[in-house]
Amino acid sequence: MKTRLLTLFTFASLASAAFAAPQTFDFKDPKGVNNAVFKLDAPLEAINGSANGISGSVTFDSANPAATRGKIAVNSASLQVPNPMMKEHLHGAQWLDVSKNAEITFEAKELKKVKTAGDNTSAEVVGTLTIKGVAKEVTAPIQLTYLKGKLGQRVPKLEGDLLVIRSNFTIKRSDFGINPSAPKDKVSDEIQLTLSIAGASPRT
């Protein structure tokens, strides 16, 4: 009897460990829906734009969301604003200098103040944000939503899971050498960033 119970316990432990194994989620969205939105709201002018050239991977364990790690990249050339001349300036040497800085990246190193309720986790993510070759440690609020078995509803004929990441935080343009001499009444030093992206973990 003891041997049988021990065997059952061993199988249960193995099954539990397999179920809770960390998953890698790919954020290169074939639908092109993933996007980052930015806003600079100065007294004389507001600049709004977005970027959809997003890639990267995140490792997530539904049994231990605090262990989440990963790196998200945004193709600098995918940043768009409505005004063509403004877009040219944005991509130019004084601003993002996209010819020399192909990507904006954020590498998550630690999650703090983690709270999980059902499939939703809220936390503060600590990581390195690199823009225009300047790397700064940033702490930002983050929401993670784990959607088990929902990949097929986003990408037909593909089975697997989804991880949705949302974040909204503010950085300073001058911290990253983004046209620091621009007049602040026309170009806000604060850049409001909003991220809403979904990563896929297909089942093989």
Side-chain angles (χ1 to χ4, degrees), residues 32-45:
V33 176
N34 282 344
N35 69 90
V37 176
F38 60 93
K39 181 176 181 179
L40 295 82
D41 194 4
L44 297 179
E45 235 171 63

Side-chain angles (χ1 to χ4, degrees), residues 26-203:
D26 184 359
F27 282 82
K28 188 172 179 59
D29 181 13
K31 295 182 69 173
V33 176
N34 282 344
N35 69 90
V37 176
F38 60 93
K39 181 176 181 179
L40 295 82
D41 194 4
L44 297 179
E45 235 171 63
I47 301 171
N48 297 275
S50 63
N52 60 5
I54 293 174
S55 61
S57 65
V58 170
T59 301
F60 175 82
D61 184 347
S62 60
N64 184 19
T68 300
R69 300 290 184 272
K71 185 176 182 179
I72 299 296
V74 178
N75 183 341
S76 301
S78 76
L79 270 72
Q80 304 288 331
V81 288
N83 185 295
M85 184 173 290
M86 193 177 289
K87 176 184 172 182
E88 185 178 338
H89 290 162
L90 179 66
H91 289 192
Q94 280 191 310
W95 284 75
L96 294 176
D97 200 4
V98 300
S99 64
K100 295 180 181 178
N101 303 280
E103 290 185 332
I104 296 168
T105 63
F106 180 81
E107 185 171 1
K109 296 182 176 180
E110 182 184 6
L111 261 62
K112 296 181 176 180
K113 301 180 181 178
V114 180
K115 296 179 181 178
T116 298
D119 296 332
N120 298 300
T121 297
S122 64
E124 289 184 354
V125 58
V126 180
T128 302
L129 178 64
T130 303
I131 304 176
K132 202 179 179 182
V134 178
K136 296 279 186 181
E137 184 175 288
V138 169
T139 300
I142 190 172
Q143 292 182 336
L144 306 168
T145 304
Y146 175 60
L147 300 173
K148 186 173 179 59
K150 298 291 186 180
L151 178 57
Q153 295 184 23
R154 183 178 174 95
V155 185
K157 299 182 180 179
L158 195 59
E159 294 185 0
D161 306 328
L162 286 170
L163 181 67
V164 179
I165 297 178
R166 295 181 176 91
S167 185
N168 193 324
F169 60 103
T170 300
I171 61 171
K172 286 192 175 182
R173 179 172 50 83
S174 55
D175 284 346
F176 294 90
I178 304 171
N179 197 9
S181 62
K184 293 182 181 179
D185 57 345
K186 288 192 67 177
V187 184
S188 173
D189 190 36
E190 290 191 341
I191 304 175
Q192 301 169 36
L193 300 173
T194 302
L195 191 70
S196 181
I197 57 177
S201 178
R203 294 203 188 104

